[in-house]
Amino acid sequence: MASSGTVTSGEYIKHHLTNLTYGPRPDGSWGFANSSDEAADMGFWAVNVDSLAWSFILGALFLLFFARVAKRITTAAPGMAQGFVEMVIEFIDENVRSSFSGKNDVVAPLALTIFCWIFLMNFMDLIPVDLIPWALSLVGVHFQKVVPSTDPNVTFGMSIGVFLLMIYYSVKVKGLGGFAAELTMHPFEAKNPILKILLLPINFFLEGVGLIAKPVSHSLRLFGNMYAGEMIFILISLMFGSGIILSLAGGTLQFVWAVFHILVITLQAFIFMVLTIVYMDMAHSHH
Amino acid sequence: MNINVTLLWQMVFFIVFVWFSRKFVWAPILGAINERRTTIADGLAAAEKGQQAEEEGRKQAEQFVVQAKAQANEIIGKAEKRGSELVEEAKSTAKDEGERILNSARDEIETELNKAKEALRGQVSELAVAGARQILKKEIDPKAHSELLEQLAAKL
C-alpha cells in the first residue's frame, strides 16, 4: 500500500486499522462499508467479517488438529503430533492445578481453548502487515485486519464469555444469596444490623466496580498489547516506501520487533489464560 | 474499532469452542495421558518387585549351595567312617574264623590221632596175644589172661 505513492501515511495507517465491515447502509440496504467512517456509521448490527472469519478459522484449526490427535490417541509411545499435543495439555493442566482449587472439569478445557486460540490469533501479528491485505485486495476485498485480537469486539467477546461463566459458577457454587452477600458484605463488615444496611450500598458499589473491572481489564490488556504491537508493525512498514536506506533500517526494525513480539504474543495468551483460571477460582471459593 | 454485533458472535464462537474442546480434546487426551502414567508406574513397580525377587532367589540359591556342601561333607565323612568300620569288622571276623578253623583242625587231628592210637593199641595187643599164643600154645587161655593182656595194652 505504501508503494502506491498517492496514499499518505495517515491514510495508510487508517486503512490498516479499518475492519472489513458488513452492515446496514444509511439507505437501508446491507453491504460492505467502503470507508472507516461508513463502517462507524453502520452501528451495532454491523459485523467485522475479517475479525470473525480469522478468529473462527484459527480456533477451528486448533480444535481440529487437537481433536484429530485425540481421536487417534494411543497410550503406547506417542508420535510427534501426539507428543506436542500432550505437552500443551500437560502444561495447561499444571497451570490449572496450581491456580484452581475447586472441582470443575470445564476450567481446564476452557484454559486450553483460550491459550491456544489467543496464541494463534496473536500469531497473525507476525505475518507481514501488508501480505494478506494485499493478496485479498487482488480479489477485490479492500479492507482487512488479520489479527483478530486487535479488535476489541473479539477480546471483549471472550472476556465477557469468561465473565458470564464466572457469574454462573458463583451462583451455582455459593447460591444466589451467597453471591449477593459476597457483593454487599465486603469489604466493610459490621455486626450491628443497622450499620450493616447502611454499609450495604457502599460495599455494593466497591465490589460492583471490582466485578465489572474484571472483564474490562481482562480484554483491554490483550487488546491494548496487540493493538500497540500491530501499530508499531504498521509504522515500521511505512519506512519501506521512503528510500533504500530507510527500507533497510525498516527491515531490521521489523525483524527485531517481530522477534520481541514472539514473547509478547505468547505472554499475552498466557496472561489471559491465567486470569481466566484465577477468576474461575474466585467464583468457586468461599470467603 | 467499533463495538458491534461482532462481539456477540465472538462470544458464541467462544462458548462453542470451549464446549468442543472439553468434549473432543481434553477428555480423551488427558485420559490417555493418565492411563499411560499408571501403566508406567505399574511397570516400574513390577520391575522393582522383579529385582527384589531375583535378589531373594540368588540369596536362597547361595544358601542352598552352602547347605548342600555341608551335607555332602557330612555324608563323605560318614561313608569314610563306615568304610573303615567295615574293614575292621572284616579283619576281626576273618581272624576269628581262621582261629576257629585252626582249632577245629587241631581237634580233628587229635581225635584222628587218638583213634589211630586206639587202633594201634588194639592191633598191638592182638599181635602180642597172637605172638604169645604162638609161643605158649595151649597154655594160655585168652579168657583167663585177658586182664593181663589189657594191662599190657594200656602200657603201650
Side-chain angles (χ1 to χ4, degrees):
Chain A
M1 290 292 159
S3 56
S4 60
T6 54
V7 181
T8 65
S9 301
E11 281 168 350
Y12 173 75
I13 294 169
K14 200 171 182 187
H15 183 264
H16 262 288
L17 296 180
T18 304
N19 283 105
L20 178 66
T21 312
Y22 184 84
R25 292 215 181 85
D27 59 11
S29 66
W30 284 63
F32 286 106
N34 291 315
S35 71
S36 54
D37 294 331
E38 208 173 296
D41 289 339
M42 282 177 169
F44 182 74
W45 293 106
V47 179
N48 296 344
V49 178
D50 47 0
S51 294
L52 273 183
W54 286 113
S55 134
F56 184 82
I57 290 168
L58 293 168
L61 262 177
F62 144 66
L63 284 174
L64 288 181
F65 173 63
F66 271 55
R68 198 179 140 91
V69 170
K71 208 171 177 185
R72 301 173 174 185
I73 194 129
T74 162
T75 53
M80 284 280 269
Q82 194 185 329
F84 170 74
V85 166
E86 282 183 8
M87 195 183 77
V88 174
I89 299 258
E90 281 185 331
F91 167 72
I92 304 289
D93 194 43
E94 214 168 277
N95 272 294
V96 172
R97 274 173 205 282
S98 66
S99 315
F100 183 73
S101 52
K103 267 196 103 167
N104 189 339
D105 60 352
V106 174
V107 176
L110 174 71
L112 172 75
T113 312
I114 283 177
F115 180 71
C116 294
W117 195 14
I118 292 182
F119 176 80
L120 286 175
M121 290 198 279
N122 291 353
F123 186 84
M124 297 302 286
D125 218 358
L126 295 181
I127 296 171
V129 278
D130 277 319
L131 186 65
I132 294 172
W134 170 76
L136 284 173
S137 76
L138 294 182
V139 293
V141 179
H142 295 297
F143 294 98
Q144 192 67 212
K145 265 180 88 180
V146 295
V147 191
S149 46
T150 58
D151 184 343
N153 288 300
V154 169
T155 60
F156 269 104
M158 289 185 293
S159 78
I160 292 173
V162 171
F163 183 68
L164 292 180
L165 279 174
M166 191 182 149
I167 303 245
Y168 171 73
Y169 282 116
S170 283
V171 172
K172 196 180 170 192
V173 171
K174 300 162 193 163
L176 205 57
F179 184 52
E182 203 176 82
L183 287 176
T184 50
M185 300 301 173
H186 299 272
F188 299 113
E189 293 177 44
K191 291 230 168 79
N192 189 328
I194 300 167
L195 211 57
K196 232 176 193 172
I197 292 166
L198 280 176
L199 286 174
L200 197 143
I202 304 169
N203 280 336
F204 184 67
F205 174 72
L206 288 171
E207 286 290 321
V209 168
L211 190 71
I212 299 299
K214 275 173 194 162
V216 174
S217 68
H218 200 188
S219 67
L220 284 184
R221 181 178 300 106
L222 175 64
F223 164 69
N225 273 284
M226 297 321 297
Y227 188 77
E230 175 80 344
M231 196 69 182
I232 287 173
F233 275 123
I234 294 170
L235 291 177
I236 289 170
S237 66
L238 273 178
M239 296 168 83
F240 294 145
S242 339
I244 186 144
I245 295 168
L246 270 177
S247 290
L248 284 175
T252 315
L253 270 177
Q254 174 142 25
F255 175 74
V256 171
W257 183 242
V259 170
F260 176 65
H261 222 57
I262 295 173
L263 178 71
V264 175
I265 62 173
T266 318
L267 199 64
Q268 286 307 317
F270 180 70
I271 289 172
F272 202 99
M273 177 197 81
V274 168
L275 281 173
T276 303
I277 299 171
V278 169
Y279 290 160
M280 294 304 284
D281 184 51
M282 287 164 100
H284 283 75
S285 62
H286 295 267
H287 293 288
Chain B
M1 285 283 284
N2 321 300
I3 294 290
N4 53 32
V5 79
T6 311
L7 191 155
L8 296 179
W9 277 110
Q10 177 72 13
M11 260 172 68
V12 172
F13 289 175
F14 176 72
I15 286 161
V16 170
F17 282 179
V18 168
W19 169 81
F20 185 92
S21 151
R22 179 181 173 214
K23 185 146 191 195
F24 296 107
V25 174
W26 189 267
I29 293 179
L30 204 71
I33 289 175
N34 285 335
E35 200 173 308
R36 187 181 312 122
R37 191 174 288 155
T38 50
T39 310
I40 290 172
D42 287 353
L44 286 176
E48 200 162 315
K49 236 186 199 172
Q51 256 174 352
Q52 263 180 0
E54 196 213 333
E55 187 74 20
E56 247 168 59
R58 193 184 295 153
K59 269 184 194 165
Q60 233 169 19
E62 271 170 20
Q63 240 173 10
F64 276 137
V65 168
V66 168
Q67 259 178 10
K69 268 184 187 166
Q71 246 169 6
N73 278 338
E74 206 180 312
I75 289 169
I76 290 171
K78 267 186 189 166
E80 271 173 0
K81 208 174 146 197
R82 180 87 189 112
S84 56
E85 264 175 15
L86 274 176
V87 168
E88 283 305 311
E89 244 177 50
K91 265 184 193 168
S92 66
T93 317
K95 210 172 160 189
D96 290 354
E97 188 72 6
E99 256 168 36
R100 202 179 54 79
I101 291 171
L102 205 63
N103 284 342
S104 69
R106 248 184 220 144
D107 289 349
E108 215 170 311
I109 289 169
E110 207 157 319
T111 32
E112 285 299 318
L113 194 65
N114 285 345
K115 254 188 201 167
K117 268 182 185 171
E118 272 320 306
L120 211 58
R121 219 178 262 143
Q123 274 176 350
V124 167
S125 63
E126 266 176 38
L127 217 70
V129 171
R133 200 183 284 154
Q134 290 267 314
I135 298 164
L136 301 177
K137 285 283 183 182
K138 299 159 189 179
E139 279 173 65
I140 291 169
D141 181 18
K143 277 179 190 169
H145 300 282
S146 67
E147 200 178 327
L148 185 78
L149 280 174
E150 258 166 34
Q151 272 171 5
L152 196 76
K155 268 179 195 164
L156 281 170

